[in-house]
Structure formats: C-alpha cells, structure tokens
Amino acid sequence: MLMAAGFDRYYQIARCFRDEDLRADRQPEFTQVDIEMSFVSKEDIQNVLEGLIQRVWSQIKGIEIKAPFRRITFAEATSKYGSDKPDTRFGLEIVQTPQLTADVHTIAEVLVIPSGAQSFSTKELAPFADLIRTSQANGESKVRNKRMHKIGDQGTTGISKATLFARWLQGDNARLPELLDSISAQPGDLVFVSERSSRVTPANTTLGRLRTLAAKLLQEKGMLDISADRFDFLWVEEFPLFTRIVDDDKAQLSATHHPFTAPAKDDLPLLYTDPAKVHGQHYDLVLNGVELGGGSIRVHDPEVQEHIFKNILCLSPQVQASFGHLVTALGHGCPPHGGIALGLDRLVAILTDSASLRDVIAFPKSANGRDLLMHAPASATPEQLAEYGIAVRKTPPAH
C-alpha cells in the first residue's frame, strides 16, 4: 500500500504473530525488520542486505564478512543438501541416483557417510533408524524405500528384495562393486538410500535430516570440525512459485512463499499454461542452516494477481474479497517493488550465541503459548466480559 501511495522505500521494526508449532527457534510473537523498495531488482535488495550484514558482523562480532554471498537455486539446495536452508559448512552431499529407479515420478538419492559403519555403534545408529522409520514428509511416506546400509569388506547389509540396491542388482551380487563405485562408497562407509516423489516440492527431505543428524553426531565424536566463528551466508533462489503437498499431478497448488510473489519474467507465459513449472522471484537469506530472512519481488499487475488468486490458487470469492483493497491499489499504478524481512530475534540470538530465542526476548512465551509473567491467557470474569458485551453460554439458546 505504501508503494502504491508513492513511497519509494521504507523499513519498519514490526511485531508479528504466528500460528505455528513452537521450537527453540520459534516464538508465537516475534520481531522482524521489514524492508520494501520501489523500482528495484532482486540484486538491489540483496546488495542492501549484504551491506547490512557486513556492518552488523563487523561492529558486533569484529568479523569481516565477504560479499557478495554465495547464491544457489532451490533445486540445488534440496538435491545436494536435502533442505531449502542448507548448512554448507560441511560436505556430506546427497547424490541423485537416477540409475536406481525407472519411475519418472520418483527421485532416488543416496547419502554416504565416510567411515560411518565403523564410527557409529549400534546404539549410536538407533537415532538414524528412528528418523527413517518416522519420516512421513515430502511424499516419501508413499514410496517404497528409505534404507540404511553398512558397507563392509565381506558385503553390504540391509539388501533385501524390496530395496533399491536389490532391484538394481537383479540378483547379480557380482555387480555390487560397480554400484558402490557409482556412488563413491567404500568398505566402512554408511549409506542411506531414499526414494521420494518428484511431484511434491521438498523443503526438508529424509536424507537432509539424516545429513544434519550425522554432522551433529560426528562433531560430538570429534570427527567433524566446524569452527564456531565460521559464517556461511548464502542466498537460496529460484523457488517454485507454487507448491504441491500431495503426490498427485492434479492436486491443488498453493503459494510457496505468499500469493503476491512475482513469477520469474521468463516463466510468465507458463503462468497461464503450466503454473507448476513457474519459478518465483523469491529469495531466502540462510546462515549455517538457519533462515535469517526471506523476501521477494511482488506482483504489481492487477490482472496477473487476479489470475493467481482465481485460476491457480482457486481462492473462494470471500477470500479474494479480503484482498480486494490490495488488488485495487495495484490497479492505480503501483510500481514494480520488492522487499525482504529479517527475523530480528533470531539475528540477535545468533550474534549472542544464544541457544534459544527465549534467551533474547523479553517475557518469552512457553511451549504452549502462555505468558508466565502475565498469566495469560486466563479466564475472564462475567463482569469483565460484560464490559465488552460478551456472554458465554454453556448451552445453545433455545429457538
């Protein structure tokens, strides 16, 4: 609305509320730095943020951060690291293995932990097995394979008829060295194999979570050294504009970021023919596996915005009406614009080496959303409710 009113740029420190699950890095109330600018490109916004990060790290941590930051696509992030907010301080990259599956709608991939079979005891392998067993996300629950294999001099464990390895070998175990060589696995290594649907947009795959768990355990065992003052900033770009959460080509699409994200210019024709293939002008700033912020170039054409609402997201007339004032504003000549929001609490937690956002927020909420200082939420007396014309009925009124 400010862009449509003629402001060329602004920033604000905004208090926000979220209705999501609470973790160590999430609170129901949070603060973010909102930045919005007119007549800008993605690169303009990234340059501003990189300069801000350089100054903050220099003045607060005494560390000089190099810019420009590394840029990777969403496809590279999820295929190599199994996450849309990858930690790139260590290797353990996931490898796509199309030779292990003939299904065009299935992605086969492997994660090799060098010397993992020798390094982890049976007890230490239990968390890996639990994660594999309980993983239900990203279309992986409907496919056949999530396996763990130990590579030894005398053979490989975990190969049964149902596994990807067994299907590829087709009973000819003499081909096993060829298979292991193709994924750069050696005796003593630990290999995780997974299949997932290509029709579901991944944000955090099973192998991505296994990769993070392996790095944590290897660090604890002193087998992986990650310097405490290493800060790997990167931009994740070229997100799909729309996302499927159901393994079905005809499933309803939803907005990956928000419904006002502009499509990539080269993909604009696909918006009307094959919207699932459209990339968005969306970018996330990631540090060491943590999303610091995200933003996008916005839709500024009211006809494009209405097409997204009505024909792609299939929003109800009531929901579309709730956005009517925004679409009307676009129709009055809103300039091309974009912005980004940085999580201020999360940024402060990282700068102060705090383990939880609760350590840097005044009066943080508990895991169930309660304010322990103010004892809120709490029951209201009938007298308090009466002041606002509210009545609570235990039974519906008789008609």
Side-chain angles (χ1 to χ4, degrees), residues 123-195:
K123 182 179 180 180
E124 290 170 329
L125 287 175
F128 293 101
D130 290 341
L131 194 157
I132 291 171
R133 187 165 47 251
T134 58
S135 176
Q136 298 292 321
N138 304 321
E140 295 166 288
S141 61
K142 292 186 178 181
V143 294
R144 297 169 293 276
N145 257 292
K146 287 173 286 187
R147 300 286 177 146
M148 176 169 59
H149 301 284
K150 292 182 180 179
I151 312 300
D153 292 318
Q154 306 302 317
T156 298
T157 66
I159 297 180
S160 63
K161 287 184 178 181
T163 64
L164 278 171
F165 276 14
R167 294 207 316 262
W168 188 88
L169 292 172
Q170 295 182 341
D172 185 4
N173 289 339
R175 300 177 64 201
L176 183 58
E178 176 190 348
L179 174 59
L180 297 179
D181 185 61
S182 71
I183 60 174
S184 301
Q186 302 176 357
D189 291 349
L190 189 65
V191 177
F192 297 99
V193 183
S194 178
E195 284 181 297

Side-chain angles (χ1 to χ4, degrees), residues 5-257:
F7 286 79
D8 67 333
R9 67 190 68 188
Y10 77 90
Y11 78 90
Q12 64 173 331
I13 309 298
R15 192 68 170 168
C16 307
F17 301 88
R18 68 157 48 94
D19 182 18
E20 300 178 48
D21 60 305
L22 304 185
R23 300 194 292 262
D25 64 343
R26 282 185 177 175
Q27 278 278 289
E29 296 177 313
F30 64 101
T31 307
Q32 64 184 27
V33 183
D34 278 337
I35 299 172
E36 201 91 19
M37 295 180 276
S38 292
F39 299 107
V40 291
S41 66
K42 172 190 68 177
E43 290 75 21
D44 293 327
I45 294 170
Q46 290 173 330
N47 288 340
V48 169
L49 261 292
E50 289 175 2
L52 172 64
I53 292 295
Q54 285 181 303
R55 180 162 183 158
V56 168
W57 251 254
S58 176
Q59 292 192 351
I60 295 180
K61 303 284 284 186
I63 296 174
E64 301 303 318
I65 301 296
K66 293 182 179 180
F69 299 162
R70 178 184 174 189
R71 287 157 169 77
I72 66 173
T73 66
F74 172 84
E76 180 183 357
T78 53
S79 63
K80 279 188 177 181
Y81 306 105
S83 173
D84 62 355
K85 49 182 179 181
D87 190 340
T88 55
R89 293 174 297 170
F90 58 94
L92 301 180
E93 292 185 5
I94 298 164
V95 178
Q96 307 290 298
T97 52
Q99 69 271 28
L100 293 182
T101 181
D103 186 345
V104 294
H105 295 301
T106 297
I107 297 173
E109 51 193 5
V110 301
L111 171 66
V112 179
I113 311 297
S115 303
Q118 299 173 335
S119 304
F120 296 119
S121 66
T122 301
K123 182 179 180 180
E124 290 170 329
L125 287 175
F128 293 101
D130 290 341
L131 194 157
I132 291 171
R133 187 165 47 251
T134 58
S135 176
Q136 298 292 321
N138 304 321
E140 295 166 288
S141 61
K142 292 186 178 181
V143 294
R144 297 169 293 276
N145 257 292
K146 287 173 286 187
R147 300 286 177 146
M148 176 169 59
H149 301 284
K150 292 182 180 179
I151 312 300
D153 292 318
Q154 306 302 317
T156 298
T157 66
I159 297 180
S160 63
K161 287 184 178 181
T163 64
L164 278 171
F165 276 14
R167 294 207 316 262
W168 188 88
L169 292 172
Q170 295 182 341
D172 185 4
N173 289 339
R175 300 177 64 201
L176 183 58
E178 176 190 348
L179 174 59
L180 297 179
D181 185 61
S182 71
I183 60 174
S184 301
Q186 302 176 357
D189 291 349
L190 189 65
V191 177
F192 297 99
V193 183
S194 178
E195 284 181 297
R196 57 185 173 87
S197 172
S198 63
R199 287 179 288 229
V200 177
T201 307
N204 193 12
T205 67
T206 296
L207 292 194
R209 294 190 290 278
L210 288 168
R211 175 180 179 268
T212 300
L213 175 59
K216 176 178 179 292
L217 296 179
L218 288 170
Q219 274 189 283
E220 292 174 355
K221 295 174 73 68
M223 300 176 63
L224 178 63
D225 181 30
I226 300 177
S227 174
D229 60 357
R230 178 173 174 177
F231 299 97
D232 278 15
F233 290 94
L234 71 149
W235 292 102
V236 180
E237 307 174 328
E238 297 185 27
F239 284 76
L241 187 58
F242 305 107
T243 300
R244 280 195 182 95
I245 59 175
V246 178
D247 186 10
D248 185 345
D249 279 332
K250 298 180 180 179
Q252 175 61 51
L253 294 171
S254 60
T256 302
H257 187 208

